[in-house]
Structure formats: structure tokens, C-alpha cells
Amino acid sequence: MPKDSAGHLIPGRIGPDRPVDASIARPEYVGRPAPAKHTGGDVYDDETIERIRAAGTIAADAIMAVGAAVQPGVTTDQLDAIGHEFVTGHGAYPSTLGYRGFRKSVCSSVNEVICHGIPDDTVLEPGDIVNIDITAFKDGVHGDSNRTFIVGEARQEVADLVERTEESLRRAIRTVMPGRRVNVIGRAIEMYAKRFGYGVVRDFTGHGVGTSFHSGLIIPHYDTDRYDAEIVPGMVFTIEPMLTLGTHEWEGWDDGWTVVTRDRSITAQFEHTIVVREHGAEILTLPSA
């Protein structure tokens, strides 16, 4: 994703595939065009939740390792290498690698890229922001997380967007309570984002996660009555708000993955995998230190 004369990202050169040692278990969809249909629902027992937490911790630690390398002059492909080596070095498989044909272990979404950016020879520049999304698969389950990093120093409105997007995630997590409906999550995010005039991306959502990368459960990030699954104890899903300095509308690149804001406004995202407990949500994707 180099930049054109207007400073907007354009597709870059994607490097060769990275190997994964044969001793590391692959998700069932690797080498297939699509994953198998999820079975078993979104509620897990304590043993499975602890496995999701272990995978989620690897993902979170990998994100922090990648984030420590975010600086001007680094390419997103170099960041992918760091994430890949961290995840596989901890005996886990990077869930995006081979998911519906995605060729990298990290999603790296720069500036106006909402999500699903493919690491390539894009060179990060001072003032850019980059979202690093990593999911780790280990012991039969996935743990999914992402966070947005600032390259050097960004202009104030961009720095504010990043900070407030993370705050919208914190507020969303606090709304999770058994007996409520999942749309309370989107309501909290949109109410907060509207205070600042931000766009709230609608078409890319949180999701059930665990034995499947995406279970089919949809967690909306905007105020809607369309999604109203009941929140129950033991349910595991992601919350991953995407806020923009402009429109919520988007366009997709020809690569079939990269999603950008239609007006090319800057966008930020943060994500955690959570489990529902009797008295609220518990985060399963916290770094180990």
C-alpha cells in the first residue's frame, strides 16, 4: 500500500508466503476455499474459555511485539514477519494465514484502511496510523484482538480519534451483561462516537469466536434493532469498533480484502475477545505483561 500523489494508499507488492512448522496444528480451513460451518453455539465451558484465553494472550502479546516495531521507515510486511514469528514461536498458528485465501499472518490497516489490509511493501511515515489485527489458533480455539498504533506523532484530530476509539471499546465492554441484547453494544459505541461527529462503520462487525474463527454471531457497533441475540453467561465474542473522521461508507479494493473509507478519511479500530460472566464481561485478550 504505497501512496499516490494525493497521499492516499494504493496497492503495494506482497512478499512471499511465510512457512509454518509442520508441528503446529492448523485450523480446518487452511488449504480449503472456505471454513466449515460452525457448530456448537457461542457458549463455552470453563476449560474451553481458558484455552481461548491462552490463544488470546498469544495474540495480544504478538500485537504488542509488532507495535514496539512501529516507526517511520518500517514496512507493513516487516511487521507481518514479527507477528508471524511471535505467534508461531509460541506454538500457535496465525489464524488469518490461509483463511479464505488471505496470505499473511497479520492484518495491517493504515490510515484510511478500515480493516483487512494486506501487509506489503508500504513504508510507514511519520503521522500515519496502523491497525495491527492478529488472531492466534492453539489447542483447537482462536483468540482475536487488534489495536491501532501511531507512527511517531500524529496531528491532534488523528491522535484523538485513536484514543476515543479505544475508549468506545471500553464503554462497549462495560455494557455487556447477561439478559441484555447484543445491540446494546452498538448503541453505546454510536452514542459516544456521535459526540465527536465520527463515522461508525456498520458493515464490519464483531463476531462469535472460539472453536471457529467466525461463528456467525454478529455484534453490531452502531445503534440498530436488527441484531438482538441475548447475551448469556459463557458466551464468547469480539467487540471491535471502527470509527472514522468522515463517512461510515466504504469501498473494497480489487484484492478482495482491503476495505477503505469511501471519502478516504482516517479510521481507527480496537478489538478484544470477551467472555460473558454473571456480572459482566471479562477480557480474554489481555497481554501477559
Side-chain angles (χ1 to χ4, degrees):
M1 289 179 286
K3 296 179 180 178
D4 62 20
S5 60
H8 297 142
L9 295 164
I10 57 176
R13 184 182 61 82
I14 298 173
D17 295 353
R18 303 189 195 283
V20 178
D21 191 272
S23 65
I24 295 176
R26 274 80 166 147
E28 53 80 24
Y29 52 74
V30 174
R32 301 175 59 233
K37 184 176 176 61
H38 176 71
T39 59
D42 293 287
V43 175
Y44 295 95
D45 60 27
D46 286 343
E47 186 274 333
T48 308
I49 290 167
E50 289 310 307
R51 285 191 282 129
I52 298 171
R53 188 197 310 276
T57 301
I58 292 170
D61 285 345
I63 289 168
M64 298 310 292
V66 173
V70 169
Q71 60 183 336
V74 171
T75 69
T76 54
D77 192 60
Q78 288 173 313
L79 298 180
D80 180 75
I82 294 169
H84 178 90
E85 293 303 323
F86 190 99
V87 172
T88 59
H90 286 77
Y93 187 91
S95 301
T96 59
L97 184 62
Y99 180 77
R100 297 184 181 271
F102 195 87
R103 289 180 50 198
K104 294 295 177 179
S105 301
V106 172
C107 291
S108 57
S109 301
V110 179
N111 293 348
E112 69 264 27
V113 179
I114 295 170
C115 56
H116 306 158
I118 303 173
D120 60 17
D121 63 352
T122 296
V123 177
L124 297 179
E125 300 176 359
D128 286 343
I129 62 173
V130 56
N131 179 272
I132 300 299
D133 192 333
I134 296 178
T135 307
F137 176 80
K138 189 173 185 180
D139 294 331
V141 295
H142 303 264
D144 186 3
S145 186
N146 76 53
R147 65 181 299 115
T148 299
F149 298 92
I150 297 173
V151 184
E153 291 187 12
R155 65 183 193 271
Q156 192 61 52
E157 69 170 347
V158 173
D160 287 344
L161 173 70
V162 172
E163 180 182 336
R164 290 164 179 166
T165 303
E166 186 171 20
E167 174 61 19
S168 78
L169 173 58
R170 286 192 288 262
R171 289 174 180 238
I173 291 170
R174 289 200 295 268
T175 69
V176 173
M177 196 68 65
R180 293 180 174 175
R181 303 288 171 171
V182 295
N183 53 25
V184 71
I185 295 166
R187 192 166 302 124
I189 292 167
E190 187 157 43
M191 284 180 62
Y192 179 70
K194 277 186 172 180
R195 289 168 48 182
F196 311 103
Y198 295 153
V200 181
V201 174
R202 298 182 171 200
D203 294 340
F204 300 91
T205 68
H207 54 89
V209 65
T211 54
S212 294
F213 193 175
H214 299 88
S215 74
L217 173 68
I218 292 174
I219 306 299
H221 300 134
Y222 66 104
D223 191 358
T224 177
D225 292 328
R226 182 177 176 189
Y227 305 107
D228 64 352
E230 183 179 359
I231 299 170
V232 299
M235 183 181 281
V236 176
F237 53 83
T238 74
I239 305 174
E240 45 189 297
M242 296 153 250
L243 306 186
T244 82
L245 290 178
T247 184
H248 70 273
E249 297 177 325
W250 60 274
E251 295 175 348
W253 283 3
D254 291 342
D255 62 25
W257 285 105
T258 307
V259 176
V260 297
T261 51
R262 182 166 292 174
D263 60 4
R264 302 302 187 267
S265 59
I266 301 295
T267 176
Q269 181 185 17
F270 284 82
E271 174 187 21
H272 275 307
T273 297
I274 64 103
V275 59
V276 181
R277 301 299 196 187
E278 292 288 349
H279 302 291
E282 181 183 354
I283 298 171
L284 298 178
T285 44
L286 293 173
S288 59

